[in-house]
Amino acid sequence: MLVTGIAQAGLPHQANGSLLTTDGTPVASRLIGQNFALPKRNPSDAQEPLRPDPKWFQPRPSAGGYDPMNSGASNLGPNNTDLIRTVRIRRAAVAAFDGVPPASVPADAVTASGSGLDPAISPAYAYEQVDRVAKARHLAPAEVKALVAHHVQGRVLGFLGQRSVNVVELNHALASLM
C-alpha cells in the first residue's frame, strides 16, 4: 500500500497505466503497442492473418500479437534461416504496402522488439509511412509529416537509446485530426 500510495501521489498518470483517452473514455495505453488492422473478413477464423489498415501508421511486428499476456520475443538468432526468410517476406510486404523500394525499409519495420509490446518505431519508419497515410485519409502529406515531426521523441536524458515515435500516440493524434 505504501508503494501504491507513493506512486499515486508522485506519478499518478504512469501508475494508472499511461492511458490515452477520447472524450474521457480510455482507448489505449501509451506503454503497449497495438495492431492497426482492417476488420477480419471472417471474424470467427482465428487463423486469418491481420491486414494492415492503410489509414493508420503501422507498428513494428510483434511476436505475441501485442497481447500483454503473451509478451516475449521469437528467440530466433540473426543466422536462423526462419528469421531471415521472415524478414525478407516482411520487407517485401512493407515496401509494397508503403510504396517504397525494399532497400529503404528500416529494420524496425521488419523485426519485433524483445517484449513484443513496444509502441515505439523509428522516425525513419514513421516518415516512410507519411505518403500512404496522407493518401488514404485525403490529407496533405505536409500536414501528416508535421504531425510525425511533432511526435518524434528524443533520447532519454539526451544520450540514452534512440529517437523514436510512439505509434499509439501518433495514431491517437491522427484520429483527432479527422
Side-chain angles (χ1 to χ4, degrees), residues 40 42 44-50:
K40 286 188 168 193
N42 182 2
S44 62
D45 182 1
Q47 300 302 315
E48 181 182 341
L50 294 175

Side-chain angles (χ1 to χ4, degrees), residues 35-59:
N35 288 310
F36 294 91
L38 294 166
K40 286 188 168 193
R41 291 184 177 118
N42 182 2
S44 62
D45 182 1
Q47 300 302 315
E48 181 182 341
L50 294 175
R51 297 172 297 133
D53 189 334
K55 291 182 178 181
W56 299 106
F57 286 91
Q58 295 300 308

Side-chain angles (χ1 to χ4, degrees), residues 120-124 127 152-156 160-165:
I121 60 175
S122 67
Y127 285 121
V152 173
Q153 299 169 352
R155 297 170 181 233
V156 177
L160 295 174
Q162 299 296 318
R163 294 174 353 124
S164 64
V165 176

Side-chain angles (χ1 to χ4, degrees), residues 2 6-7 9 14 18 33 36 58-59 98 120 124 129 133 145 152 169:
L2 177 65
I6 292 170
Q14 294 86 340
S18 299
F36 294 91
Q58 295 300 308
D98 289 338
Q129 300 180 65
V133 171
K145 188 175 184 179
V152 173
E169 290 177 352

Side-chain angles (χ1 to χ4, degrees), residues 55-131:
K55 291 182 178 181
W56 299 106
F57 286 91
Q58 295 300 308
R60 64 189 303 169
S62 171
Y66 290 106
D67 178 357
M69 301 300 289
N70 193 19
S71 175
S74 68
N75 294 326
L76 300 177
N79 295 326
N80 182 284
T81 56
D82 290 337
L83 179 62
I84 293 168
R85 182 175 50 255
T86 298
V87 166
R88 277 196 196 116
I89 291 168
R90 286 176 180 164
R91 184 174 306 284
V94 169
F97 187 63
D98 289 338
V100 299
S104 72
V105 174
D108 63 311
V110 297
T111 56
S113 68
S115 70
L117 302 175
D118 190 356
I121 60 175
S122 67
Y125 187 30
Y127 285 121
E128 175 185 291
Q129 300 180 65
V130 164
D131 289 338

